[in-house]
């Protein structure tokens, strides 16, 4: 069967060289093709709705700096001008036009102010302008700072020309600007579409199994909701449960943000990109929006994407595809089975924060925003983090709307409603009864990219439901530990009265209610509930994997699986399953049916294991970014510094309850400068801590019965602890193994599962060190328990 090409509505774009197309009388320019965007932001989130990425003047009430570029014209003369734009508050017949902007050509502004009419995207006429042959300078000049937007501009001398809309615009863009179709980007073992945690986990995991990977992300940062653009910290427990090495890849790139929203630099955008680019098997395509697929039967043969800056179309040929888009776009293009809640879904968040300045700050009137007063929304909370040594006041995850709106085609509507809520709330602070209290407040940040929670749910070979989780139903292919409780969001009643048709503040409902009416936690936070592999591939598209909030679950089950570190581990599983599918010449279902033991064996391996060919052996890679400076694990002969603390009989009894071999810091030997502490929760009589550097704590122990043991660590997390403390496992006759411990997080009564290791009878040791770490290292208790 010959391939059929599927494109989403409106997805054909400008030429690769100039971002414009022309005849002798008509010139078409994509706004995003302008050479300099100034303060305008490229918005790609609604490409399937608008038909193109567009430029957004998101200045938080202060006009953004100009976007500028050059338009090439063949014939001089007088041209009529149109800009494709909208009045973004006209949906609600709100007074005023907040998104006003001008177009300036060769220093001459057009008389028309754009963004002043029409609730829908359309071509707003802008009058006439004289252009000369050759290069003409064009400028987008924002007038308000309140989210004016422009998709494209047309100049035409043809008196009979009418700008196309709808299907005619699709045809116009395709024929005029991409007449030769997409260029061939090459052949890949796995094409991963979507740069959030699921996509990163899948791309990194697959590449370390020797696969050739194309990694496509529509924006220019990785992390999805867990990036600096959206500002949601990554939640979910990793490295625990049946496969404690799952999550190690994600911990290499996971954020360490102390607030959500928080400082831009706390989300690790640069680290994420660096780790991905360090993988030779990954070809990273940032700023590429997947617009469709090519199908052969029920198999995706290629993914088509456009460069969001230049409009260049590319075709990525694939053995397998991973949909990690969150919305299930690739599945939808391909005709995958999916479900979607009709109403009562979880919505989209746009978080924000303000900060007090040294003097009073102006704030423009916002008659078009939601008419709010103090009390119509929750008080903002003081941040834990600081910017320029000052805290800020933050509006968190619960600034959420869209519960009953279209979660796919209504995305821009939902985001813009959130804008109206943000600006209305800040206006209530600045201009309300308590305005003197907020005179110095300055709106510093508001996400222009929404953080959606629920849209399509692609159907796999099984569909996980709430009862499966509550009853702890076991599946032979259970793997990814979900540790978040069933967390569903609903409108918060006390703030829903003013806008009952579209509330903008949510509440979280956790767990489930038992027969006795009591709230019961549904998930074992310590070990997690193992999600089955069969959730991670499509029921009817033979080569489609998925990882993310669009996996095969019900609405209720989505409440636990949707957090980012959990999603990242889904990606790790998908990458390893894709390797087996390529090696064994099978499909995702075939991996389950015929190669499940091999997949489960791969899941037992550390995240740093890699192979260089399909048939190659796995080896432990000690050269990966954060691990290249690790100590070699030598035993130091002079371990006399430090005085061990004596354990009381009560301490010994308490530690003995843990079972297995318990190693307390009271019995460790120390090098360097360590301090005994009791201020944080701990096991035994105390704990020890030391700054980063050449400080070591050595725990020696004896194994009487050889075999596989699970290694666990106990510590109480604290914000000044190291996110990358080093633990070296020295086993007789084996090369040392080095692990990174994130001691910023942890609960003293919940063990951190560090992996399973084989020990021979004899004496071995653990060495905890600050060498190569970036914070305070804490030594408390380690434990070894016999594993199956």
């Amino acid at each position: 069967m010959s391939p059929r090409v599927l494109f989403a509505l409106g997805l054909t774009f400008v030429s690769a060289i100039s971002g414009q197309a022309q005849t002798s009388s008509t010139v078409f320019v994509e706004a995003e093709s302008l050479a300099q965007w100034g303060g305008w932001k490229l918005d790609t989130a609604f490409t399937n709705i608008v038909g193109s990425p567009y430029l957004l003047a998101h200045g938080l009430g202060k006009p953004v700096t100009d976007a500028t570029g050059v338009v090439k014209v063949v014939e001089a003369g007088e041209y009529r001008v149109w800009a494709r734009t909208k009045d973004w508050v006209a949906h609600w017949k709100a007074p005023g036009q907040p998104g006003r902007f001008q177009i300036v050509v060769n220093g001459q502004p057009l008389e028309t102010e754009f963004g002043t009419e029409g609730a829908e995207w359309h071509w707003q006429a802008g009058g006439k302008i004289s252009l000369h042959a050759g290069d003409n300078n064009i400028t987008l000049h924002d007038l308000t700072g309140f989210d004016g937007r422009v998709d494209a501009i047309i100049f035409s001398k043809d008196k009979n020309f009418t700008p196309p809309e709808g299907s005619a615009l699709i045809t116009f863009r395709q024929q005029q600007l991409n007449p030769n179709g997409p260029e061939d980007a090459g052949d890949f073992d796995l094409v991963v579409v979507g740069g959030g945690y699921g996509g990163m986990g899948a791309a990194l995991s697959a590449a370390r199994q020797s696969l050739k990977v194309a990694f496509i992300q529509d924006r220019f940062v990785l992390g999805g909701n867990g990036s600096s653009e959206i500002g949601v910290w990554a939640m979910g427990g990793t490295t625990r449960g049946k496969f404690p090495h799952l999550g190690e890849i994600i911990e290499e790139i996971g954020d360490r943000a102390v607030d959500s929203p928080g400082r831009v630099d706390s989300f690790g955008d640069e680290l994420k990109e660096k780790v991905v680019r360090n993988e030779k098997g990954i070809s990273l395509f940032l700023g590429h929006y997947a617009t469709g697929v090519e199908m052969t039967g029920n198999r995706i043969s290629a993914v088509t994407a456009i460069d969001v800056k230049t409009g260049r179309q590319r075709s990525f040929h694939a053995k397998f595809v991973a949909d990690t888009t969150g919305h299930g776009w690739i599945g939808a293009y391909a005709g995958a089975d999916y479900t979607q809640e009709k109403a009562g879904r979880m919505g989209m968040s746009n978080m924000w924060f303000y900060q007090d300045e040294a003097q009073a700050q102006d704030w423009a009137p916002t008659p078009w925003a939601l008419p709010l007063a103090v009390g119509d929304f929750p008080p903002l909370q003081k941040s834990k983090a600081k910017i320029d040594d000052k805290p800020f006041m933050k509006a968190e995850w619960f600034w959420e709307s869209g519960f009953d709106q279209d979660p796919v085609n209504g995305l821009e509507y939902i985001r813009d409603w959130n804008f109206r809520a943000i600006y209305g709330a800040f206006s209530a602070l600045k201009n309300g009864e308590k305005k003197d209290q907020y005179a110095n407040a300055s709106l510093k940040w508001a996400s222009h990219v929404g953080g959606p929670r629920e849209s399509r749910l692609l159907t796999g070979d099984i569909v996980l439901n709430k009862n499966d989780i509550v009853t702890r139903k076991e599946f032979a292919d259970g793997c990814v530990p979900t540790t978040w409780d069933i967390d569903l969001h609903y409108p918060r009643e006390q703030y829903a009265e003013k806008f009952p048709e579209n509330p903008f503040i949510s509440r979280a409902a956790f767990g489930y209610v038992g027969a006795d009416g009591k709230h019961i936690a549904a998930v074992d936070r310590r070990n997690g509930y193992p999600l089955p592999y069969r959730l991670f591939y499509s029921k009817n598209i033979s080569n489609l994997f998925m990882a993310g909030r669009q996996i095969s679950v019900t609405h209720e089950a989505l409440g636990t699986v949707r957090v980012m570190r959990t999603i990242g581990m889904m990606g790790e599983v998908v990458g390893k399953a894709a390797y087996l599918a390529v090696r064994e010449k099978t499909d995702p279902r075939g991996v389950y049916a015929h190669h499940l033991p091999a997949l489960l064996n791969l899941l037992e391996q550390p995240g740093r294991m890699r192979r260089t060919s399909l048939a190659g052996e796995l080896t432990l890679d000690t050269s990966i970014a954060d691990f290249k400076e690790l100590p070699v694990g030598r035993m130091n002969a002079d371990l006399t510094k430090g005085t061990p603390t004596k354990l009381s009989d009560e301490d010994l009894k308490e530690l003995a309850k843990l079972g297995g071999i318990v190693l307390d810091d009271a019995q460790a030997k120390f090098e360097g400068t360590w301090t005994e502490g009791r201020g944080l929760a701990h096991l035994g009589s105390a704990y020890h801590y030391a700054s980063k550097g050449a400080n070591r704590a050595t725990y020696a122990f004896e194994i009487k019965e050889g075999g596989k043991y699970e290694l666990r660590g106990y510590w109480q997390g604290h914000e000044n602890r190291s996110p990358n403390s080093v633990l070296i496992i020295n086993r007789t006759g084996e090369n040392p193994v080095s692990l990174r411990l994130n001691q910023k997080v942890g609960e003293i009564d919940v063990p951190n599962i560090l992996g399973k290791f084989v020990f021979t009878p004899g004496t071995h040791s653990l060495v905890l060190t600050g060498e190569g770490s970036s914070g305070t290292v804490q030594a408390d208790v380690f434990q070894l328990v016999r594993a199956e």
Side-chain angles (χ1 to χ4, degrees), residues 167-295:
S167 60
L169 178 57
I170 299 172
T171 302
F172 177 82
R173 277 174 155 149
Q174 180 68 15
Q175 292 178 347
Q176 298 294 319
L177 305 177
N178 282 292
N180 298 320
E183 68 177 51
D184 190 343
D187 297 324
F188 297 89
D189 295 314
L190 180 67
V191 174
V192 179
V193 186
Y197 272 69
M200 290 187 294
L204 289 166
S205 175
R208 292 180 186 182
Q209 297 294 329
S210 79
L211 297 192
K212 183 181 179 183
V213 178
F215 188 14
I216 299 171
Q217 161 71 330
D218 65 320
R219 308 207 304 273
F220 290 92
V221 297
L222 297 170
N225 285 354
S227 70
S228 64
E229 289 184 327
I230 300 178
V232 180
W233 50 17
M235 294 284 103
T238 58
T239 61
R240 65 193 65 206
K242 293 174 64 177
F243 301 101
H245 286 297
L246 272 181
E248 289 180 350
I249 291 177
I250 293 307
E251 290 306 327
E252 292 180 35
I253 47 88
D255 73 67
R256 307 298 178 201
V258 299
D259 256 322
S260 178
R263 294 171 54 107
V264 168
D265 58 4
S266 67
F267 289 92
D269 295 345
E270 293 181 358
L271 173 63
K272 292 177 175 66
E273 183 175 342
K274 178 182 177 182
V275 172
V276 168
R277 290 195 184 279
N278 281 344
E279 288 294 337
K280 295 180 180 179
I282 297 176
S283 297
L284 178 61
F285 294 88
L286 294 177
H288 280 68
Y289 193 101
T291 59
V293 298
E294 297 177 18
M295 298 293 296

Side-chain angles (χ1 to χ4, degrees), residues 40 57 61 63 85-102 112-119 122 124 141-149 364-369 420 423:
W40 294 69
T85 183
K86 67 189 294 187
D87 173 8
W88 66 269
V89 301
H91 284 291
W92 305 283
K93 296 181 172 59
Q97 296 88 30
R100 295 177 291 112
F101 66 94
Q102 290 177 304
T112 301
E113 287 187 359
F114 294 90
T116 59
E117 60 184 47
H122 70 290
Q124 182 178 348
H141 180 64
D142 175 35
L143 295 173
T144 69
F146 283 121
D147 303 292
R149 57 203 67 184
T366 59
W368 40 265
R420 292 186 70 207
Y423 296 133

Side-chain angles (χ1 to χ4, degrees), residues 726-740:
V726 180
L727 181 70
I728 305 162
I729 305 170
N730 291 307
R731 294 175 293 169
T732 302
E734 300 286 344
N735 291 327
V737 174
S738 297
L739 306 178
R740 290 281 184 174

Side-chain angles (χ1 to χ4, degrees), residues 314-386:
R314 294 188 171 95
S315 182
F316 300 82
H317 299 277
K319 293 177 182 175
F320 297 94
V321 177
D323 186 336
T324 60
T325 62
H327 289 297
W329 280 117
I330 302 302
Y333 297 156
D337 291 345
Y338 68 85
T339 60
Q340 186 174 296
E341 290 290 299
K342 293 181 179 179
R345 292 172 300 272
M346 291 178 282
M348 173 198 289
S349 289
N350 288 82
M351 300 186 294
W352 56 284
F353 60 75
Y354 75 82
Q355 191 175 41
D356 285 334
E357 304 289 1
Q359 49 193 319
Q361 301 293 307
D362 293 333
W363 178 247
T366 59
W368 40 265
L370 295 190
L372 301 178
V374 174
D376 289 337
F377 52 90
L380 274 65
Q381 300 299 308
K382 186 176 182 180
S383 63
K384 296 178 182 177
K386 295 182 179 181

Side-chain angles (χ1 to χ4, degrees), residues 341-348 401-407 413-414 490-491 500-503:
E341 290 290 299
K342 293 181 179 179
R345 292 172 300 272
M346 291 178 282
M348 173 198 289
S401 76
F403 305 98
D404 297 322
Q405 307 301 316
D406 187 327
Y413 175 97
I414 296 170
Y490 305 96
E501 77 286 355
N502 197 359

